[in-house]
């Protein structure tokens, strides 16, 4: 699967990642670990550990990257909302855009591509777990919530002061979006590794 789009006159491709993309994916992700509270990881994972995450994800869920001739600009992937089988038709989403590329529409394009594939798999609900500050600071703003609102997500819950990073306590919020019909009889979800794109 490779999709070509144009954003602000620039050609960008969206494609499925492979474990070989791990260094470029980590280049996008590491600054969020080191400089922000967007993710609550403390340490940048090794290339081996991160590649293993990619491989495990791709068995059941899409893992997509946007790139141009300079390299990977951002990535998005799905994951289980919960391990119980009744949750199969719901997925958690995660997205990271290279810090110098934010605000260009890359994240929105990645989410649209992800949702199209999830829907083809039979997944009809998406949810995002988002770090949220009481007051914005140098490590965390409310930008991710605003981004998800624009993408059609709505706020459904908040955990208060549940995560500690950089000597501060942060909240966690859940946002959700329904992307497909909820039928009386749902067909089994097709694992991404078995989906014909």
């Amino acid at each position: 699967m490779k999709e070509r789009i144009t954003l602000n006159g620039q050609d960008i491709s969206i494609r499925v990642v492979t474990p070989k993309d791990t260094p470029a994916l980590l280049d996008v992700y590491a600054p969020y670990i080191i400089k922000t509270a967007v993710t609550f990881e403390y340490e940048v994972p090794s290339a081996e550990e991160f590649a293993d995450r990619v491989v495990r994800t791709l068995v059941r869920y899409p893992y997509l990257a946007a790139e141009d001739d300079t390299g990977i600009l951002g990535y998005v992937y799905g994951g289980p909302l919960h391990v119980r089988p009744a949750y199969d038709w719901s997925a958690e989403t995660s997205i990271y855009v290279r810090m110098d590329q934010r605000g260009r529409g890359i994240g929105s394009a990645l989410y649209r591509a992800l949702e199209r594939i999830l829907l083809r798999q039979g997944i009809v609900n998406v949810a995002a777990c988002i770090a949220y500050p009481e007051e914005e600071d140098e490590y965390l703003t409310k930008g991710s919530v605003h981004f998800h609102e624009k993408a059609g997500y709505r706020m459904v819950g908040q955990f208060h002061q549940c995560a500690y990073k950089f000597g501060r306590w942060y909240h966690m919020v859940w946002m959700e979006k329904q992307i497909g019909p909820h039928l009386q009889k749902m067909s089994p979800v097709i694992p991404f590794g078995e989906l014909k794109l």
Side-chain angles (χ1 to χ4, degrees):
M1 171 249 166
K2 194 164 196 177
E3 176 183 328
R4 294 190 181 279
I5 60 171
T6 301
L7 288 177
N8 304 316
Q10 184 179 7
D11 290 332
I12 292 173
S13 296
I14 296 178
R15 63 169 176 83
V16 178
V17 306
T18 74
K20 291 180 182 179
D21 294 312
T22 295
L25 298 173
L26 274 173
D27 284 346
V28 173
Y29 184 48
Y32 285 96
I33 299 172
I34 297 165
K35 299 177 183 177
T36 81
V38 168
T39 174
F40 291 144
E41 286 204 68
Y42 281 8
E43 304 290 335
V44 177
S46 68
E48 295 76 18
E49 179 186 345
F50 204 82
D52 187 53
R53 294 182 190 181
V54 170
V55 170
R56 286 196 318 266
T57 298
L58 285 169
V59 172
R60 189 156 178 88
Y61 299 97
Y63 203 132
L64 309 174
E67 65 181 352
D68 64 8
D69 54 9
T70 69
I72 289 180
L73 307 172
Y75 65 90
V76 66
Y77 60 92
L81 179 64
H82 198 287
V83 296
R84 301 279 192 267
Y87 291 93
D88 281 358
W89 295 269
S90 299
E92 182 179 351
T93 59
S94 297
I95 187 166
Y96 293 92
V97 174
R98 209 169 77 194
M99 287 190 169
D100 65 344
Q101 298 294 316
R102 292 182 298 184
R104 294 185 51 219
I106 293 165
S108 297
L110 281 167
Y111 254 170
R112 286 191 297 270
L114 179 73
E115 288 176 10
R116 282 194 298 273
I117 295 172
L118 290 172
L119 195 52
R120 285 186 59 192
Q121 291 180 257
I123 292 170
V124 296
N125 301 313
V126 288
C129 189
I130 301 167
Y132 191 74
E134 182 73 28
E135 295 181 8
E136 294 185 346
D137 61 29
E138 66 269 34
Y139 302 113
L140 188 63
T141 70
K142 297 176 181 177
S144 186
V145 165
H146 299 316
F147 166 77
H148 282 82
E149 287 172 341
K150 288 180 184 176
Y153 285 68
R154 67 182 183 93
M155 190 79 72
V156 291
Q158 178 171 330
F159 293 95
H160 297 88
Q161 295 184 320
C162 61
Y164 182 78
K165 189 173 181 180
F166 301 125
R168 302 172 192 200
W169 285 99
Y170 292 102
H171 306 316
M172 180 65 70
V173 297
W174 278 100
M175 299 185 75
E176 70 172 1
K177 180 180 180 181
Q178 294 184 343
I179 61 172
H182 294 69
L183 307 176
Q184 182 95 19
K185 183 167 176 55
M186 296 295 290
S187 298
V189 170
I190 303 168
F192 180 71
E194 299 174 16
L195 190 68
K196 294 179 181 176
L197 296 175

